[in-house]
Amino acid sequence: KAGVTQTPRYLIKTRGQQVTLSCSPISGHRSVSWYQQTPGQGLQFLFEYFSETQRNKGNFPGRFSGRQFSNSRSEMNVSTLELGDSALYLCASSSPGISGNTIYFGEGSWLTVV
Amino acid sequence: QKEVEQNSGPLSVPEGAIASLNCTYSDRGSQSFFWYRQYSGKSPELIMSIYSNGDKEDGRFTAQLNKASQYVSLLIRDSQPSDSATYLCAVGAWGGNTPLVFGKGTRLSVIA
């Protein structure tokens, strides 16, 4: 069974640009969560989507947005990039009916803003 | 504000010893508890989940939960250099309707 797949794995962007990250969850999982990980702040929750609806949202500015498609695939977008947005962005999927709230992470997308 | 606290380490143990990692949490209503291992430059991978008070063993790993003390721990027996990583504690409610809250992790170093 394939795990959570994230693309792209590595990317470099310039301040002010925007970026879109993609996530394909484990087959059958309908919940997708996004986290930002930085050395100083650790893992911080961005948002969670379930059945194409945003179910939870973390404390991030509106520049961070996401969506989920009918096939459960998800994208997140960061607009007007700032240097502080450099981080590892992790997507995680879960299936509340099967695995409770256990989440499984993808390999992440390393974003560097210069 | 729900918080999960871990000692950042590094925790250094000799090969073959028992490594003990600890975590406390602030939300008394928490029902689910997880340990993830993260190697440098990699994403977190699930090691253990525990939902009831007491011990849960899986191979060399034992998770211990004490809800009254709001405390969860991970013991690694016969520690190996390959266990050197950052261990993240995560806490949540049951049902998957709220996001997990993660600690900042404890860095473990197993010395050969």
Side-chain angles (χ1 to χ4, degrees):
Chain A
K1 196 171 188 179
V4 180
T5 304
Q6 290 188 245
T7 56
R9 293 290 320 283
Y10 305 91
L11 63 166
I12 300 174
K13 291 287 187 177
T14 304
R15 267 187 309 172
Q17 287 186 315
Q18 69 150 10
V19 66
T20 298
L21 309 178
S22 180
C23 173
S24 293
I26 293 170
S27 178
H29 285 195
R30 294 165 61 193
S31 171
V32 173
S33 303
W34 288 90
Y35 288 80
Q36 180 196 66
Q37 188 175 35
T38 58
Q41 298 300 318
L43 267 167
Q44 292 186 285
F45 173 74
L46 281 157
F47 27 66
E48 183 215 357
Y49 288 87
F50 181 80
S51 293
E52 301 180 65
T53 300
Q54 187 180 87
R55 187 160 67 173
N56 289 291
K57 187 177 188 307
N59 189 26
F60 277 82
R63 299 185 298 107
F64 292 81
S65 63
R67 60 177 174 169
Q68 186 180 34
F69 303 96
S70 59
N71 61 359
S72 294
R73 193 176 67 84
S74 176
E75 289 181 347
M76 69 162 283
N77 183 277
V78 187
S79 62
T80 318
L81 284 165
E82 301 177 358
L83 295 179
D85 296 333
S86 295
L88 174 63
Y89 290 87
L90 291 160
C91 172
S93 77
S94 69
S95 180
I98 297 173
S99 60
N101 54 349
T102 304
I103 65 173
Y104 300 90
F105 287 98
E107 293 187 318
S109 293
W110 288 91
L111 171 64
T112 301
V113 182
V114 297
Chain B
Q1 178 92 1
K2 299 176 183 178
E3 295 182 340
V4 176
E5 300 287 341
Q6 295 181 255
N7 188 317
S8 62
L11 172 66
S12 294
V13 300
E15 183 175 359
I18 296 176
S20 178
L21 305 162
N22 305 314
C23 170
T24 59
Y25 58 94
S26 64
D27 183 6
R28 189 168 285 277
S30 298
Q31 297 290 327
S32 54
F33 308 86
F34 306 87
W35 285 99
Y36 288 81
R37 177 177 63 198
Q38 186 173 24
Y39 292 112
S40 180
K42 301 294 186 181
S43 64
E45 59 176 319
L46 179 69
I47 298 177
M48 296 276 290
S49 60
I50 186 168
Y51 304 98
S52 304
N53 278 330
D55 295 359
K56 179 182 178 182
E57 187 174 318
D58 183 359
R60 295 187 296 112
F61 298 96
T62 299
Q64 299 175 316
L65 175 61
N66 184 326
K67 290 183 180 179
S69 300
Q70 296 176 241
Y71 176 91
V72 58
S73 66
L74 179 70
L75 301 178
I76 306 175
R77 289 182 300 282
D78 188 25
S79 295
Q80 301 298 309
S82 59
D83 294 325
S84 298
T86 296
Y87 289 80
L88 302 169
C89 173
V91 174
W94 179 252
N97 291 329
T98 56
L100 296 183
V101 179
F102 283 81
K104 292 188 176 182
T106 296
R107 190 155 53 93
L108 172 66
S109 178
V110 181
I111 312 299

